[in-house]
Amino acid sequence: MANWETVVVETDLLICGGGFSACGAATEASYWAKKKGLKVTMVDKAAEDRSGAVAMGLSAINQYVGIRDGENTLADYVRYVRQDLMGVSREDLVYNIARHVDSTVHLFEKWGLKIWKDEKGKYVHEGRWQLMINGESYKVIIAEAAKNAIAEAGGEIIERVFIVEPLLDGNRVVGAVGFSTRENKFYVFKAKAVIAGMGGAVHVFRPRSVGEGFGRSWYPPFNSGSSAYFTIKAGAEMTCQEVRFIPVRFKDAYGPVGAWFLLFKSRAISAEGGDYMTTHKEVLQNYAPYGLVKPIPANLRNYLGMIDVDAGLGPLYMETAEAIQNIAAQFKDDPKAFKKKMKELESEAWEDFLDMTISQAILWASQNVKPEEKHSEIAACEPYFIGSHSGASGAWVSGPEDLPTPYKWGYANMTTVQGLFAVGDGSGASSHKFSSGSHAEGRIAGKQAVKFIVEKGQAPKVDMAEVEKLKERILRPLDLWDKHKDETTDPEVNTNYMMPRQYLHRLQKLMDEYAGGVVSAFKTSKALLQRGLELMDFLKTDSEKMAARNHHELTRAWENIQRTWQAEAHVRTLLFREETRWPGYYFRADTPKMDDKNWLCFANCQWDRKTGEWKMMKKDIWTMPGA
Ligand SMILES: Cc1cc2nc3c(=O)[nH]c(=O)nc-3n(C[C@H](O)[C@H](O)[C@H](O)COP(=O)(O)OP(=O)(O)OC[C@H]3O[C@@H](n4cnc5c(N)ncnc54)[C@H](O)[C@@H]3O)c2cc1C
C-alpha cells in the first residue's frame, strides 16, 4: 500500500464541505458550540474562499421572501415550490428554510455583500424572489464569516481534503475518512455528529461540451456527488433521486438566463416556430394544475422548447436585442436619454455574465455578439443533480420540531442515520433554496447538530481495523499504477487498469444513452433503464481497477466512483416511477403521461449496508395547512 501517513482528527461536529450550506452550518454551529465547549471541524476538498457552485460569484440572491416589508408570506413560497416541482416537495422543509432565509440575507449584507438598492433604499428585485447583487466576491464574503466564527469558537478548518466514506457504528455516524489532495496524508475524522454539505453532481451524464471543451458545464465541475455517495453509503434513505435538473442556458458557455427572462422580460423563440411558450400553450393542459398556473414550472418551459427542437425547428434563441429595445423604448423621444439607457442596459447584460459565468462573456466577445443588436442561441444543458436549485435529489431528512409534519424522527435535517445531517444539495425534496436558502438550511442543521451532540452525543467508537481496510481501498489506484505502469509502452493502455478519464467516459456514455441524456433527447424507458443497470454492474466491478499516478488522479478516481453511486440511485428511481411527471427534465417514453392517481408521491430509495440491496419506497405527500 502507498506509504501515506494516517492523520487522526478528533472533533465533536464534523462539517463535510465548505460551500454555501456548510458555511451556514459552520457559522451557526460555532456560535452554539462555543457556549457548550464543543469543537467544530470543517473539511473542504478545495480552498473555501472559492469553492463550490458559487466559486465564480453570482449576480443574484435567488431566495428572499421579504417578510419585513410584507412582500410575500411563507405560504406563498411553499406554493411556489410545490408548483415548480409538479406537486412533489417536502413542504415542511421548504417552510422551515423560507422562515429563516431573510435573516440570512440580512447577515450577508452585514458581512459586506452589496445588494442593489433603489432610490427609496429598497432591495432591487430581479424577480419576485430574487435580489440583484454585486456578487463577484459572494463566496469570499460568506466563507470569511464562517472562518471567523470557527476561529472564534476554537474550531478547525481543513482545506484540500477529499472526504470519501462515512464511518459508522451501527446506525450511528461516528466520522469520516478522506485523503489530502496535496500531501501524502490519509485523514480519519472521529466525530459525534456529521453534516454532509458536499454539493450535488455534474459529469454523471455526458456533457454537451466534449473534446476541447470538456470540463465546461453549467454546474461547477468540482462537485461530483459526494453528498449523495456519503449518505447512501451510510445507509440513509434518499428521496427524489429521479428529479435531475436541466437548465436552458446560453449555448456552449452556459451563461445565465434569469436576468434576461426576469429583469429584461425577454422572449425565447425557435428559429422558425416563434415563441414556443405561446405556440405550444395547449400542451400545458396535460399537466394541470401545474401547467395552468404561473410561473409555469421550469421543466414544462423546457419541454415546450424541446417540442420545437424535436421537430427540427432549432436553434432556440433568446431575443436579447428585442428585450433591450423594448426597455429603452420609453426614452425614444429623448435621443440623449435613449442612448444613455441603451448603454446602461448593455453594461448590465455583460455584468450579469462577468459576475458569474465569465466564459459566456468571452464566448460572446469571440463571436462578435452584441446583445443589443442580435439574438443569442440557448439550449437545454445535460442533466445535473442539484437539490438546492430546481432539481430535488438528496437525503430524506427529518422535519422541524414545531410543525405537524409526518416526517419527524429526531432533529431537523437529520437523515435516517443517527447523527448524520444533510444540507444544501445534500438534502432532498426542498428545492428552490439556492445560495441563501442553502446557507439558511445549513444554519438550521448546524444548530440542530449541536443540540444532538449535547443531548445524545457519545464518544465515537471507530474500528481502526476497518479504517485500515478503507485506507488500502482508497489508495489502491496509486498502487495499481505503480505495480503495472511499466508493462506497456503506453502506460495509459493497460489490461490491469483504466485511467479515471477512461472510466468517466464509460459512465457518461452509459447514462447518456440509457438514462435519457442529450444524445437520447432526454428520453428513456423501462427496457433502456434495465439494460443500463446491467451495464452499470460491469462498470462498478471495473471501478476496482481504476489507476492513479498522483493526487490529482486519485481525486478524479474517487469522484468517478461517487458519481457512479449517484447514477445508480438515479437510474433505479427513474425505473421505479412509472410516469412522466417532469417532461423537459426527462421522458419515460413507455409511460409518457403524468399519473397523479398512482404517482403523486415521493419516490424514495435506500441502500442496505449489510446486504448491498436497494429498497424502493413510495412516501405520501403532506400538504401544509393554509398553503
Ligand atoms: C451555475 C449555477 C448558478 C446558480 N445561480 C444562482 C443564483 O443566481 N442565485 C442563487 O441564489 N443561487 C444560485 N445557484 C445555487 C447555489 O449556488 C446553490 O444552491 C448552493 O451553492 C448550494 O450550496 P451547497 O453547500 O449545497 O453546495 P456548494 O455551495 O456547491 O458547496 C459544495 C462544497 O462541497 C465541497 N466538496 C465537494 N465534494 C467534497 C468532498 N468529497 N470532500 C470535501 N468537500 C467536498 C466543495 O468544494 C464545496 O465547498 C446557482 C448554482 C449554479 C450551479
Side-chain angles (χ1 to χ4, degrees):
M1 181 173 47
N3 185 19
W4 282 31
E5 180 191 349
T6 297
V7 180
V8 178
V9 177
E10 305 210 358
T11 188
D12 293 297
L13 174 60
L14 174 67
I15 301 174
C16 301
F20 256 66
S21 59
C23 283
T27 309
E28 186 79 26
S30 297
Y31 175 84
W32 299 104
K34 189 177 173 197
K35 289 184 187 296
K36 301 288 174 189
L38 300 172
K39 181 181 170 191
V40 175
T41 302
M42 186 180 194
V43 184
D44 193 344
K45 82 191 249 196
E48 216 185 295
D49 278 349
R50 289 277 177 193
S51 65
V54 191
M56 241 194 293
L58 294 179
S59 56
I61 289 174
N62 279 359
Q63 188 186 5
Y64 182 71
V65 183
I67 298 286
R68 75 176 174 193
D69 290 332
E71 289 169 354
N72 296 291
T73 64
L74 297 173
D76 288 334
Y77 206 78
V78 170
R79 275 192 292 273
Y80 161 63
V81 179
R82 178 196 300 152
Q83 154 76 3
D84 198 68
L85 265 291
M86 308 290 285
V88 181
S89 69
R90 276 283 301 274
E91 302 191 0
D92 56 335
L93 301 178
V94 173
Y95 181 91
N96 202 22
I97 295 166
R99 68 179 162 174
H100 288 95
V101 76
D102 286 6
S103 67
T104 285
V105 172
H106 302 152
L107 279 175
F108 290 174
E109 194 173 23
K110 192 174 127 196
W111 294 336
L113 180 69
K114 170 96 175 86
I115 307 180
W116 293 14
K117 298 249 178 75
D118 63 16
E119 53 292 345
K120 292 193 191 115
K122 296 255 186 240
Y123 292 146
V124 173
H125 278 260
E126 184 187 44
R128 181 171 178 186
W129 312 105
Q130 298 84 357
L131 304 180
M132 296 301 293
I133 56 172
N134 283 19
E136 185 278 336
S137 299
Y138 192 11
K139 182 66 206 298
V140 183
I141 293 167
I142 270 56
E144 186 184 40
K147 284 180 184 175
N148 288 345
I150 289 188
E152 208 172 298
E156 194 175 359
I157 296 175
I158 302 176
E159 294 181 327
R160 304 200 188 282
V161 167
F162 185 100
I163 297 284
V164 183
E165 299 281 343
L167 292 174
L168 288 130
D169 174 16
N171 189 40
R172 174 183 275 264
V173 73
V174 290
V177 293
F179 60 88
S180 165
T181 61
R182 293 284 164 95
E183 301 169 300
N184 293 352
K185 288 183 179 170
F186 180 79
Y187 277 85
V188 183
F189 298 97
K190 299 182 179 177
K192 293 174 185 158
V194 177
I195 298 179
M198 294 171 280
V202 63
H203 286 150
V204 174
F205 282 82
R206 180 162 42 201
R208 280 187 184 273
S209 298
V210 291
E212 55 89 30
F214 188 65
R216 188 181 285 170
S217 54
W218 174 78
Y219 194 68
F222 337 112
N223 290 347
S224 56
S226 299
S227 301
Y229 179 84
F230 195 87
T231 44
I232 294 171
K233 286 295 289 293
E237 187 172 333
M238 306 294 289
T239 191
C240 294
Q241 291 299 309
E242 75 281 37
V243 194
R244 47 157 92 183
F245 178 43
I246 295 188
V248 166
R249 292 295 181 265
F250 284 97
K251 188 162 180 295
D252 293 334
Y254 303 86
V257 297
W260 286 101
F261 280 131
L262 299 171
L263 199 66
F264 296 124
K265 311 283 181 227
S266 180
R267 290 186 314 139
I269 59 154
S270 60
E272 294 181 36
D275 177 351
Y276 53 78
M277 291 304 296
T278 310
T279 45
H280 298 304
K281 206 168 162 214
E282 81 288 354
V283 175
L284 297 172
Q285 301 281 347
N286 301 334
Y287 300 94
Y290 319 108
L292 307 181
V293 180
K294 289 212 164 137
I296 310 283
N299 70 291
L300 293 181
R301 282 182 271 140
N302 287 359
Y303 179 43
L304 300 194
M306 284 173 188
I307 293 173
D308 275 358
V309 172
D310 277 359
L313 300 177
L316 304 181
Y317 288 106
M318 179 73 82
E319 292 290 72
T320 55
E322 177 190 79
I324 289 184
Q325 295 291 342
N326 283 348
I327 301 175
Q330 53 185 306
F331 301 97
K332 65 178 184 316
D333 298 331
D334 178 348
K336 223 169 139 195
F338 182 82
K339 205 169 157 204
K340 189 167 166 248
K341 188 68 189 171
M342 283 296 284
K343 267 265 154 279
E344 190 185 306
L345 291 166
E346 193 193 321
S347 80
E348 274 174 16
W350 285 91
E351 190 194 328
D352 187 44
F353 291 159
L354 293 171
D355 264 355
M356 59 186 288
T357 315
I358 298 156
S359 48
Q360 185 69 55
I362 295 170
L363 189 70
W364 266 11
S366 69
Q367 295 182 350
N368 301 329
V369 172
K370 292 186 177 166
E372 68 281 15
E373 286 179 8
K374 201 175 156 204
H375 58 197
S376 254
E377 208 180 330
I378 53 173
C381 306
E382 59 279 358
Y384 308 108
F385 298 90
I386 174 164
S388 67
H389 204 288
S390 309
S393 55
W396 182 244
V397 298
S398 188
E401 280 169 0
D402 60 327
L403 293 187
T405 156
Y407 325 111
K408 261 192 301 198
W409 51 89
Y411 300 79
N413 276 80
M414 192 169 83
T415 67
T416 54
V417 175
Q418 284 286 305
L420 175 58
F421 294 74
V423 288
D425 293 334
S427 74
S430 49
S431 322
H432 292 275
K433 41 198 170 192
F434 303 103
S435 59
S436 45
S438 295
H439 194 277
E441 191 185 30
R443 287 174 56 208
I444 294 166
K447 186 173 177 186
Q448 291 285 305
V450 171
K451 189 163 183 261
F452 173 87
I453 294 169
V454 170
E455 292 173 359
K456 296 208 175 137
Q458 292 176 4
K461 274 195 259 154
V462 174
D463 179 349
M464 287 309 279
E466 205 46 49
V467 165
E468 224 17 60
K469 279 193 215 153
L470 284 171
K471 182 176 178 184
E472 186 282 323
R473 172 65 194 100
I474 289 171
L475 301 184
R476 195 181 304 159
L478 296 168
D479 299 333
L480 267 174
W481 170 264
D482 268 352
K483 192 163 166 211
H484 298 291
K485 68 178 189 312
D486 297 325
E487 292 170 10
T488 51
T489 33
D490 179 351
E492 291 202 358
V493 181
N494 195 307
T495 51
N496 294 292
Y497 57 70
M498 66 175 129
M499 304 310 294
R501 188 180 274 253
Q502 293 162 339
Y503 179 98
L504 181 64
H505 288 320
R506 202 166 131 193
L507 169 68
Q508 292 181 343
K509 178 173 160 61
L510 191 166
M511 293 302 286
D512 200 27
E513 294 176 0
Y514 296 92
V518 170
V519 148
S520 15
F522 311 112
K523 295 184 185 71
T524 185
S525 67
K526 183 175 177 181
L528 279 164
L529 292 164
Q530 283 173 334
R531 177 67 184 139
L533 277 180
E534 280 171 24
L535 293 172
M536 197 174 289
D537 228 22
F538 292 121
L539 182 71
K540 282 178 83 179
T541 309
D542 289 349
S543 69
E544 304 273 331
K545 296 282 182 187
M546 248 186 296
R549 62 193 120 194
N550 50 37
H551 294 86
H552 176 75
E553 285 185 350
L554 187 64
T555 307
R556 298 287 95 94
W558 279 100
E559 286 174 346
N560 284 344
I561 292 174
Q562 296 192 333
R563 285 189 178 104
T564 307
W565 282 71
Q566 172 63 85
E568 183 170 2
H570 184 51
V571 172
R572 288 186 183 280
T573 318
L574 290 175
L575 193 54
F576 181 60
R577 183 180 280 279
E578 294 179 325
E579 64 156 358
T580 299
R581 179 163 293 268
W582 298 277
Y585 290 170
Y586 74 88
F587 308 83
R588 270 281 304 253
D590 50 341
T591 54
K593 296 212 166 118
M594 188 170 85
D595 173 5
D596 262 354
K597 189 160 159 274
N598 294 300
W599 289 102
L600 183 55
C601 63
F602 299 103
N604 286 9
C605 65
Q606 190 167 24
W607 179 76
D608 189 314
R609 293 181 56 235
K610 287 203 186 87
T611 63
E613 297 292 316
W614 289 83
K615 188 165 93 181
M616 306 303 302
M617 298 156 267
K618 283 185 179 182
K619 288 279 159 84
D620 290 340
I621 289 173
W622 175 75
T623 307
M624 182 105 202

